[in-house]
Amino acid sequence: MDALPYVDSLIREYMLFRGFVSSLEAFSRDLEADPGCGLQADRIADLVFRKLLPGLDCQALVALLEHLNGVLYSRLDSRAEPLVAAVEADLLRAFLVAAASAGRTDKVAEFFKLYGPQLLSSSSSSAGWAGGGEGGGGSPDWRDWFVL
């Protein structure tokens, strides 16, 4: 955490150099409101559950999960991998449930068009429920999520 002030100063310098004044002001306000100078899990949860899921923004949700996977989850102990995969799969399922509940079949189709091949090729727990034709590709968990 000792490097955070240095990184913050680099970000400020870059924003000034590029002329991003309003972004710099917003960044400064966020820094003042950041009591711990670190990861704010409650803010990430608010972003996911108050903006991304209700707004049905699948691209932003997947981008956030990929970003967290690259900068946070990759640094965790390997024992946390099943938990991370379960959380990611549950968030993707929550997106699909929110889209289906809102009657937005276009969002469900967009989700599978953009991320279906990635889900099917992954070794995560999402591959079992994400597809595989009739019966969810033989996954016994398929019926727990999609009962016809």
Side-chain angles (χ1 to χ4, degrees):
M1 292 297 177
D2 295 331
L4 282 178
Y6 176 68
V7 172
D8 291 344
S9 70
L10 290 176
I11 292 170
R12 285 180 184 193
E13 181 179 335
Y14 175 76
M15 288 182 185
L16 281 172
F17 174 77
R18 292 292 309 268
F20 298 149
V21 178
S22 61
S23 297
L24 178 61
E25 291 171 354
F27 181 68
S28 296
R29 279 193 308 273
D30 284 346
L31 284 178
E32 290 171 8
D34 184 10
C37 286
L39 178 70
Q40 299 289 322
D42 55 339
R43 288 186 182 178
I44 295 172
D46 282 346
L47 173 65
V48 170
F49 293 109
R50 292 189 181 176
K51 185 176 180 187
L52 300 180
L53 289 178
L56 301 176
D57 192 349
C58 68
Q59 291 179 341
L61 177 63
V62 172
L64 175 65
L65 292 176
E66 288 173 352
H67 176 72
L68 289 175
N69 206 0
V71 299
L72 180 65
Y73 303 151
S74 63
R75 297 173 190 218
L76 296 176
D77 191 279
S78 64
R79 293 176 291 173
E81 287 178 16
L83 178 61
V84 169
V87 168
E88 288 181 347
D90 287 346
L91 287 173
L92 295 175
R93 287 182 189 127
F95 173 84
L96 291 172
V97 168
S101 297
R104 298 291 306 271
T105 56
D106 60 318
K107 290 293 187 177
V108 174
E110 175 189 1
F111 176 85
F112 281 112
K113 181 181 176 189
L114 293 172
Y115 305 107
Q118 178 181 337
L119 290 173
L120 290 175
S121 67
S122 74
S123 61
S124 71
S125 64
S126 61
W129 63 266
E134 187 173 40
S139 172
D141 297 333
W142 185 82
R143 283 195 165 73
D144 294 340
W145 293 102
F146 300 99
V147 177
L148 302 176

